[in-house]
Amino acid sequence: SMRNHLSGFDEEGATAEGVAYWQFGFGFYVYFAELLRERTGGRIDLLEGDKIGRIVTFPNACLLSGSKVVNFSDSVERIDFNLGLFARLHSRFSNVEVPQQQPEANQLFTYWANTSRLMMWTLDGGDAAEAASTAEASSSSAGGEPVHEDYYFKGHQWAISKS
């Protein structure tokens, strides 16, 4: 089932469903992976590998400002991010950006898995506020000019250019 889930991502780590579906589906994958890693004392880690590394950074390409994202498929243009999920991923993958958004009471709170990770992982070693301020600082060059970012997802034929 887990391998099947990962097959929905192309080799660049993108999903045709966009960031909202990434957060939902890959979020539950991460919840399970972290529980399994903890229960096996780190012997089984489903968040290892090159493809996983590309999947975890997929939202970086789609994050715009605040809660706005580049949306594809039937995805919405604003997402209420689970900052706990992003904080945990940032603690494991330093190149994962934490969205600059305050937690909001919304659909995240309809699932205990989302709510508990929002509470525990935002406060647990993966400080979302610190990671978000680091991401904000890195979004400008030393001279204060915006950094230009280009992403190309060959598998889905998407080009995303931000500046």
Side-chain angles (χ1 to χ4, degrees):
S1 177
M2 298 309 235
R3 267 188 242 107
N4 189 47
H5 176 69
L6 295 179
S7 72
F9 296 89
D10 68 15
E11 288 308 308
E12 289 89 20
T15 173
E17 301 295 336
V19 179
Y21 287 100
W22 174 93
Q23 178 173 259
F24 182 83
F26 192 67
F28 280 97
Y29 179 92
V30 171
Y31 303 161
F32 176 76
E34 289 296 83
L35 178 61
L36 184 62
R37 184 173 70 107
E38 185 177 312
R39 296 286 180 163
T40 62
R43 289 185 311 277
I44 301 174
D45 188 353
L46 299 178
L47 293 180
E48 290 182 332
D50 292 339
K51 185 172 182 178
I52 293 291
R54 291 185 295 273
I55 292 170
V56 301
T57 60
F58 171 66
N60 290 3
C62 298
L63 291 173
L64 296 176
S65 61
S67 60
K68 283 194 168 191
V69 295
V70 174
N71 59 330
F72 294 100
S73 187
D74 64 342
S75 226
V76 294
E77 70 176 23
R78 292 187 182 276
I79 297 176
D80 293 321
F81 294 105
N82 185 332
L83 298 180
L85 170 64
F86 281 87
R88 174 53 64 101
L89 288 173
H90 180 76
S91 73
R92 300 263 330 255
F93 303 87
S94 61
N95 57 345
V96 169
E97 294 179 28
V98 177
Q100 299 171 31
Q101 175 185 350
Q102 294 298 316
E104 300 175 17
N106 59 25
Q107 75 273 9
L108 286 177
F109 295 100
T110 60
Y111 299 103
W112 172 246
N114 290 336
T115 305
S116 62
R117 272 51 172 213
L118 174 64
M119 292 185 296
M120 293 183 295
W121 286 353
T122 302
L123 301 174
D124 175 35
D127 185 357
E130 180 182 326
S133 68
T134 301
E136 183 177 3
S138 69
S139 69
S140 296
S141 67
E145 294 297 316
V147 174
H148 187 83
E149 300 173 328
D150 293 318
Y151 300 91
Y152 179 58
F153 298 103
K154 183 172 48 175
H156 292 297
Q157 299 180 1
W158 295 348
I160 301 171
S161 183
K162 303 187 291 184
S163 62

